[in-house]
């Protein structure tokens, strides 16, 4: 997952509360950091995305492939 895909996935899944989740929610799975801190520390976006999903109970079917742009027809 690229950072741009991470940003799209977070915006699509969490909408207006995305910014608050990234900066306020501490994620155990990435070293007890917020998502923003983890990304700044070099944790891969996919790992941060999965930690964020686990912490907020995002269903499995919405975790994988999130943030990708739909292929052109």
């Amino acid at each position: 997952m690229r950072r741009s895909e991470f940003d799209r996935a977070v915006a699509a899944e969490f909408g207006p509360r995305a910014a608050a989740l990234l900066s306020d929610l501490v994620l155990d799975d990435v070293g007890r950091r917020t998502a923003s801190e983890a990304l700044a520390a070099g944790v891969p976006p996919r790992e941060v995305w999965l930690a964020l999903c686990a912490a907020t109970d995002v269903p499995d079917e919405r975790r994988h492939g999130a943030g990708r742009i739909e292929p052109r027809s």
Side-chain angles (χ1 to χ4, degrees), residues 9-51:
V10 170
E13 184 64 39
F14 302 109
R17 64 187 186 134
L21 283 174
L22 293 177
S23 63
D24 295 341
L25 181 63
V26 175
L27 305 168
D28 290 334
D29 294 347
V30 291
R32 299 223 17 97
R33 301 176 179 137
T34 66
S36 295
E37 291 168 341
L39 291 167
V43 177
R46 179 149 204 68
E47 191 175 330
V48 178
W49 167 247
L50 292 175

Side-chain angles (χ1 to χ4, degrees), residues 49-67:
W49 167 247
L50 292 175
L52 188 59
C53 289
T56 58
D57 295 323
V58 173
D60 286 339
E61 62 269 13
R62 292 202 314 255
R63 294 181 188 194
H64 301 285

Side-chain angles (χ1 to χ4, degrees), residues 1-2 4-6 8-9 12 46 64-71:
M1 171 179 262
R2 296 173 189 235
S4 59
E5 292 171 329
F6 173 85
R8 281 192 297 274
R46 179 149 204 68
H64 301 285
R68 292 192 178 149
I69 296 175
E70 293 296 321

